[in-house]
């Protein structure tokens, strides 16, 4: 009989596979993954982010079971849904922000960033965005179009997107000062700030190299953008919800973003994502 890897190759499309090891997995318990053949391995990957409570956490099992046993519908479209409203209330309570805000729910980090792009363009009437070389915001057309990851060069960026270098202590030519100076130069020349709806930023660049931005950079970026009415969207999909040691990664820098995007860990392994933003934009 063929093994799981062979069956996988014979059935599941190559699109979206990113395989770094020969591991094939049949189960998971706590912080361990169970390899085909039964070997139990300490999992240091968290499945690339979503498994922030590990595998088979009793609280997740209980929550899933309760929601399926007594299901408040299967959609938010037609009527208010108690568990969704409770979750929105909780997210608003734990996420710093200004003014009246609203929450949108989706299924993945990609669709949440797509949503943010769409609502920002519609609400501001501005169609340009700024993001960073190395950033990964998702694999749907909207979120791909504002990403700058080197594995995505097969997809053209969205027209009008400005990709800046992410300030990087290991690349002194991309100091915080140099990146901010480049942004100022772009504003003065080919990227008029009044055309820019928002900046998308990972508060700690994840797939682009696990880069911690120099202290003060995020705030300086935010101040520059606020001067021009440009919104700050913080992508917390990978590094949010306490993975960095604070509830939100942007809190390390005392930032107050306009929009916050959640994914991965918010579902604990189930497909769930969210965007929090100003009521008038959402
Ligand atoms: C920072 C960031 N944003 C968005 C995404 C997209 O999330 P998803 O894979 O759930 O669509 C990812 C995925 O790795 C990510 O790392």
């Amino acid at each position: 009989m063929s093994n799981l890897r062979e069956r996988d190759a014979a059935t599941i499309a190559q699109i979206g596979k990113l395989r770094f090891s020969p591991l094939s997995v049949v189960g998971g318990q706590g912080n361990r993954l169970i390899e085909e053949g039964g070997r139990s391995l300490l999992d240091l990957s968290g499945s690339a982010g979503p498994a922030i409570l590990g595998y088979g956490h009793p609280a997740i099992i209980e929550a899933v079971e309760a929601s399926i046993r007594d299901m408040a519908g299967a959609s938010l479209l037609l009527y208010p849904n108690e568990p969704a409203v409770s979750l929105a209330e909780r997210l608003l309570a734990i996420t710093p922000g200004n003014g009246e805000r609203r929450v949108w729910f989706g299924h993945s980090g990609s669709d949440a960033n797509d949503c943010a792009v769409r609502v920002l363009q519609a609400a501001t009437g501005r169609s340009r965005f700024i993001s960073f070389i190395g950033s990964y915001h998702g694999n749907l057309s909207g979120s791909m179009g504002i990403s700058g990851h080197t594995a995505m060069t097969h997809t053209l960026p969205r027209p009008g997107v400005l990709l800046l270098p992410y300030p990087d202590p290991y690349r002194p030519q991309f100091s915080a000062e140099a990146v901010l100076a480049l942004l100022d130069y772009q504003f003065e020349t080919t990227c008029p700030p009044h055309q820019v709806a928002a900046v998308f930023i990972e508060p700690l660049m994840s797939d682009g190299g696990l880069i911690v931005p120099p202290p003060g950079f995020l705030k300086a970026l935010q101040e520059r953008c606020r001067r021009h009415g440009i919104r700050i969207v913080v992508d917390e999909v990978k590094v949010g919800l306490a993975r960095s040691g604070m509830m939100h990664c942007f809190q390390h820098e005392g930032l107050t973003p306009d929009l916050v995007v959640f994914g991965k860990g918010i579902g604990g392994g189930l497909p769930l994502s969210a965007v929090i933003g100003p009521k008038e934009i959402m």
Side-chain angles (χ1 to χ4, degrees):
M1 208 173 74
S2 53
N3 64 27
L4 188 54
R5 186 153 287 253
E6 288 160 355
R7 285 168 52 215
D8 170 87
T11 52
I12 297 182
Q14 193 62 23
I15 311 162
K17 287 184 184 171
L18 195 59
R19 302 283 165 78
F20 299 114
S21 79
L23 185 66
S24 295
V25 185
V26 294
Q29 286 298 326
N31 59 10
R32 300 208 154 244
L33 286 174
I34 313 303
E35 194 180 14
E36 184 178 38
R39 192 162 66 136
S40 160
L41 297 164
L42 180 63
D43 172 46
L44 299 177
S45 76
S47 293
I52 53 173
L53 296 182
Y55 307 102
H57 194 291
I60 296 184
I61 295 174
E62 203 180 298
V64 169
E65 208 177 295
S67 73
I68 287 187
R69 270 190 204 292
D70 184 9
M71 218 167 157
S75 167
L76 297 183
L77 202 57
L78 301 178
Y79 24 70
N81 173 308
E82 208 295 319
V85 174
S86 292
L87 179 57
E89 287 166 350
R90 233 168 133 179
L91 277 178
L92 288 169
I94 64 165
T95 308
N98 292 322
E100 264 204 80
R101 294 168 301 154
R102 294 292 183 270
V103 181
W104 175 91
F105 287 120
H107 312 112
S108 68
S110 301
D111 73 355
N113 279 311
D114 261 44
C115 167
V117 169
R118 283 196 310 275
V119 294
L120 279 158
Q121 180 170 4
T124 64
R126 301 177 175 194
S127 59
R128 297 190 72 146
F129 292 89
I130 295 172
S131 66
F132 289 84
I133 296 171
S135 67
Y136 182 76
H137 296 294
N139 63 2
L140 294 175
S141 48
S143 48
M144 258 181 156
I146 53 148
S147 295
H149 199 272
T150 50
M152 298 174 94
T153 48
H154 58 288
T155 308
L156 293 179
R158 195 190 142 96
V161 163
L162 171 63
L163 289 169
L164 292 174
Y166 198 86
D168 183 346
Y170 295 101
R171 292 191 168 84
Q173 73 272 34
F174 302 138
S175 65
E177 295 71 30
V179 172
L180 291 167
L182 178 59
L183 176 61
D184 289 339
Y185 184 52
Q186 287 283 354
F187 280 163
E188 285 162 19
T189 55
T190 55
C191 185
H194 67 269
Q195 295 179 354
V196 179
V199 175
F200 279 72
I201 188 156
E202 295 174 70
L204 185 161
M205 181 170 277
S206 178
D207 292 348
L210 292 173
I211 304 165
V212 180
F217 173 74
L218 294 178
K219 270 230 156 130
L221 176 71
Q222 175 163 278
E223 274 156 26
R224 278 216 180 27
C225 291
R226 290 249 156 99
R227 255 184 260 149
H228 299 293
I230 298 171
R231 312 292 176 138
I232 294 278
V233 186
V234 171
D235 182 339
E236 291 268 324
V237 169
K238 193 67 148 284
V239 294
L241 297 173
R243 290 192 83 203
S244 71
M246 295 186 84
M247 181 57 81
H248 309 291
C249 190
F250 66 77
Q251 289 177 301
H252 291 281
E253 286 291 311
L255 209 65
T256 314
D258 298 296
L259 282 82
V260 184
V261 181
F262 299 96
K264 297 198 184 285
I266 195 176
L270 295 169
L272 184 63
S273 62
V275 181
I276 298 185
K279 180 183 168 197
E280 68 275 11
I281 288 181
M282 304 301 289

